[in-house]
Amino acid sequence: MALMLFCIKFTKSKLGKSSSFYITAFLLSLFFALPLPATAATATLADYFRESWSTRQGLPHNTINSISQTPDGYLWFATWEGVARYNGREFKVFGREQQTGLPDSGIRALHLDPKGRLLLGGSRGGLALVQEQQWRPVDAVSALVNEVRGDAQGQLWVGTEGGGLFCLQANGSRQQWTRNEGLPSNTIYSLLHDQQGGLWIGTAEGLVYLHDGKLTQVANSPKSPVFALAFYNNQLHVATERGLYRQEAEHFVVAQQELQQTAISKLLVDHHGDLWIGTVEEGIFRSSNYGLEQLTAKHGMPNNRVLAIYEDNEHSIWLGTNGGLFRLRDAPFSTLSSEQGLPDNFVRTVLQHSDGGIWIGTARGVARYLHDELLTEHNLLPEQSILSLAETDTGDVLIGTYSSGVFLFSSGKLTKLLDRDSGLLSNEVRAILPLPDGSIWLGTAQGLNYYHPEQQIQSYTTRDGLTADFVVALHKIDDVLWVGTGTGVTRLVKGAFEPLRLSHLDQAEYAFDFYEQTEQKLLWLATDRGLVRYRLDTAELSLIGRKAGLPFDKIFQVQADLHGNFWLSSNRGILRISQQDANAVAEGKVAFLDYDLYGESDGMLSAQANGGSNPAAILAQDGALWFATASGVSRVQPKRLAAFAEATPPVVLEALLVNGVAQKIDDSIELQPDSDRVELHFAGLGFVMPGRIRYRSQLIGFDANWLDRGQQNFAEYTNLAPGRYEFQVQAANPGGQWSKAARIELIKHPYWWQTRNFQWLSAFSSIALIVLLVYWRISSLRHSEQRLKRQVAEKTAELQQKANSLLAADTEKSLLLEQLHQQTLALALQARQDGLTGLANRRAFDEVLSKEFSRSQRLKQPLVFAFIDIDHFKKINDTWSHNAGDLALVAIAEKIRQHSRSVDCAARWGGEEFALLMPSTSMEQAQLVCERLRQEIMALDWQDIAPDISITVSIGLAISDELTDAKQLLFLADQALYQAKQQGRNRVCAA
């Protein structure tokens, strides 16, 4: 390819345009007729997004000896302080413990065998197998393990440091090869199976081949330590301390002349067929259609010594070094920086030229990008900080600078066009608008200028009607000039300036950019309070800002892509929103706007996009969008984003906590009656965009539908009723498909009085008691009647006495009925009141919540819900007894009751949790009440319970404003409580 380019350039320089055209065409046809290599890397190494991890991010040790990935999606990293399992968010470390059965925490080698088992080998000959998160120890071998491999027959092959080669059979038997059996050395560095069932063995003194139990030293192979082996382009490649060799027939030849004296440590053939070459001292190399490329510590690697290379399921390349973990991956954004040849990383402006090139204005001059490369030899104005760029109708480029005015680049020549000495209000030029007639509007830091080659330059400031002298954006619609300034927008209409007030839109002032949609008759404004839509036909203004869901106020640039989206640049990343959704919000049809936020984790070197100069974002001719940032110019091809969503991250359940205590995860879990709080933690095992993975879950038997959890990777349930439930969770990348659900069955056992038999027995006993009472009463009345008849017959004088007796019996009946009534009321009270604290129980509280939420919606009055959780309550029970815990609950309940109004509802939610519902209360009032409550609880004297005890509470608040469901109120309050816990407890947090 390099030779071809040279030939083309040569013909152009020596021959005329017409002759060079035909010769170039001939050479190109000849080139494409030649066979191309199989490798086809999609990007140069310089374009890969790079990330690194060390012990600061959770690794147990900075030396990464080996890397692997299990079928469930976890990545595993072998270190000298254990093996670390990575879920995209955090590392979980396994070392020398009962679960693993390993004799030492030092892990040297990992390998995923054909049966999906992860093999581990390390210090003291330790070996273990991991499958479906279950560990099985294997009897250790007699030396440090350097390499492990598994074959299709289930055999384990172990290469050791000084102990030779071991083969461990599935039946427990084992075989060993050492020098005595024909090995040239007892130190084994590498193992590789071939399709013939043979095993290539790299030793400290050369290469050996084992087939059908017979060892053969490979003739003509390098007689030096063989650190790695790989089949590349159907040829065996051998990595040694003196370069890389490939096998050709009976001989071995140098595979890469450039690496002839380089110590090669690791080899990997990726899914493109490219060869990755790890070295002992010179970083990583890749051999591909881009030639031989290199990355070292100066390119961001933690260390130049490569100990492991691995390609994961998402085709990211992971490198293990002596200084930590390093990853190279594709990302939505790529960035051009000084590393690729930009004169400076601070980029203010970027321009799409009609010739297909991109002009980039930096703090040290102008760079040009054409035909996928930076034309570094054509950089302009290296001593100038560039603020603005514009192209004239003739293809000339106008360059606005920070301190030297405006330059003109025309026909390959650069000249100064205007500065303060020639009439500019300021040499700081932030916006340029050339017109078809050759005139130019220029926005400066001191006002607006109009330039025409045949006229004297004209100046306009606040004295002439501008809203401010600091001009950052210019746009022309028909005969109206739109001027964006530091205090709003001014329009020049028929020679007069007219202000367009934005202050009523959440006090917006700065107008950084204009974007016109001609067909829709819309003009979009990027402001310091969000995105503003202006209808050109009706002059109607609408704001899309924080209240509509945007994560921040200040928007610098608005740019539409070819797929119906707007891209908004800011100090905190690049936002992508749907144009349709933006219009729906502007028209009041939708309250909240969905968005995607991109930053450093998506390939940008800096999430700080630059504004205050124009243009700072463009749509290139190929559909890509370019953004000026504080660290280079970042670009994204929107049509590629779908590819990042195609990969569906598998989801796994990582932890189950019952009442705060971790439980072993199984297919079915039985919960005891006192299991008041159940937490399930899960992870989507995607590593390209782990922070963007979305989750949804459903507890069948409790949730009617799927619950969208956004990026929250846990679910919590309190006071579940007895019964059988199934929890399921799914994960997805933004815009992608939901994964297969991870499931677990939860069986909540009832208390003895909650069993169906007890309930039937209670009902039967109640009915029997009533029947007996009625029967007894009827019998008593019959006996009284007979007695009265006898007494009337005997003597009339005793009639009054019997009447009194009958009255007494009636009184007794009334008392009995009253007692029954009181018992009924007591039972009803017990059903709605917590027996320990006297507060309302969950059932009563749910009824009040439903009624008050409906009332707040109907009357448009705020309703505040507070979750109150006792910090470290389990420690009180464990340290000072459950009786002390009960006394604490009663005391705190009394405090909550004291701070409750008659219209409030205080309840014991369950365990150590309380709930407080405050109707007709603003969030500020509720925060004052809860802060007072928190402080008084913290100040309580607990000496009557136990010495040296202190108790605090964490409180989460949520308000019903803009909510449509009481469950949302509970969910937001619970999130706020979780936030309070995460921030250190003993605090009040509002959602």
Side-chain angles (χ1 to χ4, degrees):
M1 184 64 181
L3 180 60
M4 175 59 63
L5 292 175
F6 172 79
C7 293
I8 293 172
K9 291 180 179 178
F10 178 82
T11 59
K12 287 183 177 180
S13 64
K14 298 298 183 182
L15 302 173
K17 289 186 177 180
S18 59
S19 299
S20 66
F21 172 82
Y22 291 107
I23 295 175
T24 299
F26 170 76
L27 290 172
L28 288 173
S29 63
L30 203 70
F31 171 75
F32 287 115
L34 295 174
L36 295 175
T39 57
T42 58
T44 66
L45 278 186
D47 286 334
Y48 274 77
F49 183 58
R50 307 164 200 172
E51 296 169 285
S52 60
W53 291 261
S54 67
T55 51
R56 292 183 178 181
Q57 287 77 42
L59 282 171
H61 195 280
N62 281 334
T63 297
I64 310 299
N65 294 315
S66 186
I67 306 171
S68 189
Q69 188 171 25
T70 44
D72 54 16
Y74 282 112
L75 281 167
W76 298 75
F77 304 100
T79 80
W80 291 121
E81 291 298 332
V83 60
R85 188 186 73 186
Y86 187 49
N87 65 7
R89 295 179 181 230
E90 59 186 1
F91 296 93
K92 181 177 176 62
V93 181
F94 301 88
R96 185 177 67 86
E97 53 201 42
Q98 185 175 2
Q99 181 183 10
T100 66
L102 291 167
D104 190 84
S105 60
I107 306 299
R108 181 74 175 83
L110 299 173
H111 177 68
L112 190 70
D113 76 355
K115 296 181 179 295
R117 303 178 300 179
L118 181 66
L119 315 179
L120 298 90
S123 301
R124 303 191 183 185
L127 295 167
L129 294 172
V130 181
Q131 190 169 28
E132 295 179 352
Q133 302 187 39
Q134 301 298 315
W135 289 77
R136 181 167 71 84
V138 178
D139 291 342
V141 295
S142 58
L144 168 72
V145 175
N146 281 334
E147 185 72 301
V148 290
R149 282 290 185 273
D151 60 22
Q153 290 73 42
Q155 300 176 118
L156 306 185
W157 297 87
V158 185
T160 68
E161 183 80 29
L165 176 69
F166 290 82
C167 178
L168 282 62
Q169 306 288 342
N171 61 9
S173 62
R174 59 179 61 191
Q175 186 176 357
Q176 183 179 11
W177 289 267
T178 63
R179 287 182 182 273
N180 297 331
E181 285 74 34
L183 283 177
S185 169
N186 286 340
T187 295
I188 310 297
Y189 290 125
S190 53
L191 301 171
L192 180 66
H193 285 97
D194 61 20
Q195 294 182 350
Q196 291 72 40
L199 180 66
W200 296 88
I201 307 166
T203 78
E205 297 183 22
L207 186 62
V208 183
Y209 187 66
L210 175 65
H211 192 269
D212 291 334
K214 181 181 178 181
L215 274 175
T216 304
Q217 294 198 25
V218 181
N220 302 317
S221 64
K223 301 303 180 184
S224 63
V226 177
F227 296 128
L229 299 163
F231 287 107
Y232 173 56
N233 289 340
N234 297 318
Q235 291 179 303
L236 178 67
H237 280 62
V238 181
T240 76
E241 68 178 3
R242 296 180 182 176
L244 180 65
Y245 294 83
R246 70 172 180 269
Q247 187 180 32
E248 292 186 356
E250 301 299 324
H251 300 278
F252 286 82
V253 299
V254 175
Q256 292 286 345
Q257 292 294 334
E258 300 93 328
L259 305 178
Q260 189 168 0
Q261 297 302 319
T262 301
I264 310 297
S265 56
K266 289 295 176 182
L267 298 174
L268 171 75
V269 180
D270 67 17
H271 75 289
H272 292 299
D274 299 330
L275 180 64
W276 295 78
I277 305 165
T279 71
V280 174
E281 295 180 344
E282 299 179 29
I284 187 78
F285 290 85
R286 184 184 69 175
S287 177
S288 71
N289 54 303
Y290 290 102
L292 187 67
E293 303 166 278
Q294 181 185 17
L295 288 179
T296 63
K298 71 179 182 180
H299 301 107
M301 288 183 60
N303 188 284
N304 280 338
R305 183 167 189 175
V306 178
L307 303 175
I309 316 175
Y310 189 80
E311 182 179 24
D312 68 15
N313 296 338
E314 296 169 314
H315 304 310
S316 296
I317 300 297
W318 298 80
L319 306 178
T321 77
N322 266 359
L325 183 64
F326 187 67
R327 175 169 69 169
L328 298 166
R329 67 170 171 90
D330 195 7
F333 282 76
S334 61
T335 300
L336 293 176
S337 66
S338 56
E339 185 176 327
Q340 287 80 38
L342 275 187
D344 191 84
N345 277 341
F346 199 83
V347 178
R348 282 283 197 185
T349 180
V350 58
L351 172 71
Q352 171 67 75
H353 196 276
S354 58
D355 65 2
I358 307 291
W359 290 62
I360 304 165
T362 78
R364 294 183 181 177
V366 179
R368 282 179 284 171
Y369 182 85
L370 185 65
H371 304 315
D372 297 328
E373 65 175 333
L374 277 168
L375 308 179
T376 54
E377 68 275 15
H378 297 298
N379 289 350
L380 303 172
L381 298 170
E383 303 301 323
Q384 296 291 334
S385 179
I386 311 302
L387 290 180
S388 53
L389 293 165
E391 181 184 6
T392 68
D393 281 6
T394 59
D396 297 340
V397 176
L398 297 164
I399 306 171
T401 69
Y402 188 83
S403 59
S404 298
V406 179
F407 290 80
L408 174 67
F409 184 82
S410 178
S411 301
K413 294 182 179 180
L414 182 70
T415 58
K416 179 176 284 192
L417 181 65
L418 295 167
D419 59 12
R420 188 188 294 273
D421 294 336
S422 56
L424 273 182
L425 287 167
S426 169
N427 282 336
E428 184 178 328
V429 181
R430 293 183 170 269
I432 306 173
L433 180 62
L435 302 180
D437 64 358
S439 61
I440 307 170
W441 286 99
L442 302 112
T444 79
Q446 298 297 324
L448 181 66
N449 284 110
Y450 176 76
Y451 166 79
H452 193 283
E454 299 176 358
Q455 300 175 11
Q456 185 176 359
I457 192 168
Q458 300 176 37
S459 300
Y460 304 92
T461 65
T462 52
R463 293 189 296 271
D464 303 292
L466 280 178
T467 54
D469 288 336
F470 191 74
V471 178
V472 296
L474 297 171
H475 185 72
K476 202 165 191 298
I477 303 175
D478 297 329
D479 293 327
V480 178
L481 178 69
W482 293 70
V483 184
T485 76
T487 56
V489 175
T490 306
R491 293 171 294 180
L492 181 59
V493 183
K494 296 180 179 180
F497 287 104
E498 299 177 355
L500 177 68
R501 302 298 180 187
L502 304 177
S503 57
H504 66 285
L505 300 174
D506 198 15
Q507 299 180 343
E509 290 188 355
Y510 270 86
F512 296 105
D513 186 34
F514 301 105
Y515 183 82
E516 182 184 0
Q517 292 182 299
T518 307
E519 293 182 1
Q520 294 87 343
K521 296 183 179 179
L522 296 175
L523 182 65
W524 298 87
L525 289 70
T527 79
D528 59 349
R529 287 296 183 267
L531 186 62
V532 172
R533 188 187 76 169
Y534 180 84
R535 294 191 63 92
L536 295 169
D537 52 354
T538 64
E540 177 188 356
L541 281 166
S542 304
L543 173 66
I544 304 171
R546 294 288 289 270
K547 290 185 178 179
L550 289 186
F552 35 72
D553 288 322
K554 195 174 295 181
I555 303 297
F556 288 144
Q557 296 276 295
V558 188
Q559 189 58 251
D561 63 16
L562 303 178
H563 308 279
N565 300 309
F566 280 136
W567 294 75
L568 314 176
S569 68
S570 77
N571 273 324
R572 295 164 58 186
I574 307 296
L575 288 167
R576 182 182 66 164
I577 63 174
S578 162
Q579 292 185 33
Q580 182 177 352
D581 291 348
N583 281 298
V585 171
E587 292 162 8
K589 297 177 180 179
V590 176
F592 292 99
L593 184 70
D594 290 330
Y595 63 85
D596 292 311
L597 177 61
Y598 298 93
E600 282 93 345
S601 64
D602 302 297
M604 299 177 68
L605 293 183
S606 171
Q608 179 187 325
N610 281 325
S613 54
N614 269 284
I618 60 165
L619 176 67
Q621 292 178 358
D622 62 356
L625 291 111
W626 293 61
F627 298 92
T629 80
S631 292
V633 58
S634 292
R635 51 190 170 158
V636 60
Q637 181 56 265
K639 64 185 180 183
R640 291 186 62 241
L641 292 176
F644 291 93
E646 287 176 0
T648 301
V651 64
V652 294
L653 288 169
E654 290 198 318
L656 169 67
L657 287 79
V658 179
N659 292 343
V661 179
Q663 307 291 320
K664 182 180 179 181
I665 295 179
D666 209 339
D667 293 338
S668 182
I669 302 295
E670 296 192 9
L671 304 176
Q672 296 305 311
D674 61 350
S675 301
D676 297 324
R677 189 170 187 162
V678 179
E679 296 178 56
L680 297 115
H681 294 253
F682 36 83
L685 300 181
F687 304 95
V688 172
M689 297 185 291
R692 295 184 177 278
I693 294 176
R694 300 180 296 118
Y695 300 95
R696 68 175 185 178
S697 68
Q698 183 181 25
L699 184 62
I700 299 176
F702 182 83
D703 297 322
N705 299 297
W706 285 97
L707 179 62
D708 187 355
R709 296 194 172 273
Q711 295 168 0
Q712 179 178 298
N713 64 334
F714 70 93
E716 181 178 354
Y717 298 93
T718 57
N719 294 324
L720 287 175
R724 188 180 296 269
Y725 305 90
E726 183 182 40
F727 178 79
Q728 55 183 0
V729 61
Q730 294 177 307
N733 282 319
Q737 299 294 320
W738 289 107
S739 68
K740 180 182 178 182
R743 304 171 183 271
I744 188 171
E745 184 182 42
L746 303 176
I747 302 172
K748 175 73 177 292
H749 292 295
Y751 288 102
W752 61 269
W753 61 81
Q754 294 175 316
T755 62
R756 181 165 296 182
N757 289 339
F758 177 79
Q759 292 171 350
W760 279 109
L761 179 61
S762 299
F764 177 78
S765 299
S766 299
I767 293 172
L769 178 61
I770 293 172
V771 170
L772 287 174
L773 287 172
V774 172
Y775 177 78
W776 171 80
R777 188 57 186 162
I778 291 174
S779 299
S780 176
L781 290 173
R782 285 177 180 173
H783 287 300
S784 298
E785 183 182 6
Q786 292 174 1
R787 199 164 45 250
L788 285 172
K789 287 180 180 180
R790 288 196 302 268
Q791 289 173 351
V792 169
E794 293 176 355
K795 51 183 175 179
T796 303
E798 295 178 358
L799 183 59
Q800 185 61 44
Q801 182 181 355
K802 297 302 180 181
N804 292 339
S805 176
L806 185 60
L807 181 61
D810 188 67
T811 301
E812 181 182 354
K813 173 186 174 184
S814 298
L815 291 173
L816 181 60
L817 291 175
E818 180 62 23
Q819 290 175 357
L820 289 174
H821 178 67
Q822 293 299 325
Q823 290 176 357
T824 302
L825 291 177
L827 287 172
L829 181 60
Q830 291 177 6
R832 298 176 57 82
Q833 187 180 68
D834 178 60
L836 177 64
T837 64
L839 296 178
N841 61 14
R842 177 70 180 275
R843 177 185 298 176
F845 185 83
D846 285 346
E847 294 175 3
V848 174
L849 174 60
S850 177
K851 181 180 69 175
E852 288 295 339
F853 189 88
S854 297
R855 177 176 172 273
S856 72
Q857 295 288 298
R858 186 175 64 256
L859 300 179
K860 305 298 183 183
Q861 293 183 349
L863 175 66
V864 177
F865 176 76
F867 256 140
I868 305 167
D869 186 89
I870 302 176
D871 297 328
H872 304 297
F873 184 74
K874 185 175 182 300
K875 178 179 178 182
I876 298 173
N877 284 336
D878 294 345
T879 307
W880 289 286
S881 80
H882 285 274
N883 182 53
D886 289 345
L887 292 174
L889 287 171
V890 171
I892 290 174
E894 181 57 28
K895 274 295 176 186
I896 294 172
R897 185 183 291 107
Q898 291 173 7
H899 284 76
S900 301
R901 303 169 300 178
S902 59
V903 295
D904 297 341
C905 179
R908 185 181 180 193
W909 188 261
E912 70 272 24
E913 286 186 332
F914 296 88
L916 180 59
L917 194 64
M918 294 171 275
S920 302
T921 303
S922 67
M923 178 59 78
E924 292 75 14
Q925 293 170 334
Q927 286 179 313
L928 290 175
V929 171
C930 291
E931 184 61 26
R932 253 190 338 264
L933 172 62
R934 181 190 68 79
Q935 292 178 359
E936 291 190 21
I937 291 174
M938 182 174 62
L940 283 174
D941 184 1
W942 304 97
Q943 294 302 314
D944 294 338
I945 296 178
D948 299 325
I949 181 173
S950 62
I951 299 176
T952 62
V953 297
S954 297
I955 303 174
L957 294 174
I959 193 164
S960 64
D961 291 352
E962 300 180 358
L963 299 183
T964 59
D965 192 312
K967 286 186 178 180
Q968 294 177 310
L969 188 63
L970 298 178
F971 179 73
L972 290 175
D974 193 50
Q975 278 191 320
L977 176 59
Y978 182 78
Q979 180 185 354
K981 292 289 187 179
Q982 290 294 102
Q983 292 180 359
R985 297 182 169 86
N986 190 21
R987 66 190 62 239
V988 178
C989 286

